Amino acid sequence: MNRALIVDDRLDNRYLLRALLQGNGFTVDEAQNGADALARARAVPPQLIIADLLMPVMDGYTLLRHWKADLSLRSIPFVVYTATYTDPKDERLALDLGADAFILKPAEPDPFMARIREVLTIKNSGGLKHASEPPIEEMVLMKEYSEVLVRKLEHKVLQLEQANRALLQVIAERKRAEERVWLQASLLDQVRNAVLAAGPQGQVIYWNKFAECLYQITEAEAIGHDVMDLIVPASERQGAREIFATLEKTGQWEGDMVLLRKNGTTFPALVFNKALNDAEGRRAGFVSVAIDITERRRLEEQYRQAQKMEVVGKLAGGVAHDFNNLLTVINGYADLVLENLPQNQPEWNFRQGDLEGRRPGSLAYAPIAGFQPARLHCAKSARCQ
């Protein structure tokens, strides 16, 4: 069985390459950099090495130079597998240093394994360079290597500058976003209404300062807890579930609710609920604004009582007016009766004139003993018969 040594500083790259090689019958050993790879190969030489070029401690070019300079390793095929050094000059330098294949990441599994088998076939047939062959002029290779490194360094510096500008822009945007969030949170804390936000499962994710005052529950006590358990009395749970169902269906709900304080007391509130959606339009929770309407309810009750009293007053005034009308008629008929009574009847003792506390012309009478006012009759007078 062929033994392959893969060299890459990225764990995910090594994982994918190991899975591919093992699936094709290879035994795999791994190293994170060139120095580690040299130590492992000298201890247990592999039949093939596949190495990245950009690595810490010792890069792939340096590893390749040491590999081909080591008499015990130089006959082992060296395959470069890189996603960073992709220029034709990079490939030429690697091949000049003795690489047996140069493959760019990411490669499709089938073409990659075909290239690996081709390299092994050439090696088994004796087609690879022998250690006795004279190496290319060292100074020429070092010059090419330096040029490659300088070019990569310049490219990396340019990438870092671009990344730095992008990072500064991201930091500036994040700072502005954080300032906006801070301003919004500060404004919400100044609102004289209880504002809360809950996630899709009803857990509290925001709780403003006035909510702490209204519900007597601190932000630390509220965050992460179910809003139903915090502020909805047990007797109102079913109604609250219906409200949440309406909110889920229509996206909003407004109306009166009975809410709960931490000490167990309840209060009436006008509540505005609005659903929250994420970027894909899925329900991400809801925001709720509650206004304590206890004082408003008290004033409404006072107003209703005042209206009742006004109605009673109007009714009493109407009754008194009608009664006065009846008394006026009765008083008029009484005056007519008195004018027609005989003056010498002993059964009557009427007095005409002004009495204290009565208007001029009013009449008063003082019945004699045995006289019944409810029965006006005159038994002796023919005029009363």
Side-chain angles (χ1 to χ4, degrees), residues 1-8 12-31 46-52 77 79 81 103 105 107-120:
M1 181 179 290
N2 289 322
R3 183 181 186 84
L5 173 62
I6 55 178
V7 190
D8 199 310
D12 54 342
N13 290 341
R14 297 200 307 272
Y15 172 80
L16 294 174
L17 194 53
R18 180 178 71 249
L20 178 60
L21 292 170
Q22 288 177 340
N24 284 272
F26 283 80
T27 300
V28 179
D29 194 9
E30 300 179 22
Q47 280 72 50
L48 174 72
I49 179 171
I50 304 172
D52 192 11
V79 176
Y81 190 40
I103 305 174
K105 293 179 182 177
E108 292 295 327
D110 292 342
F112 178 82
M113 291 308 303
R115 189 74 177 97
I116 295 298
R117 294 190 186 96
E118 180 184 352
V119 170
L120 291 175

Side-chain angles (χ1 to χ4, degrees), residues 143-160:
K143 180 181 179 181
E144 292 181 0
Y145 179 52
S146 298
E147 290 176 353
V148 169
L149 291 181
V150 169
R151 188 173 68 253
K152 288 300 177 185
L153 180 60
E154 291 174 347
H155 181 65
K156 284 296 179 183
V157 169
L158 180 60
Q159 287 182 329
L160 287 174

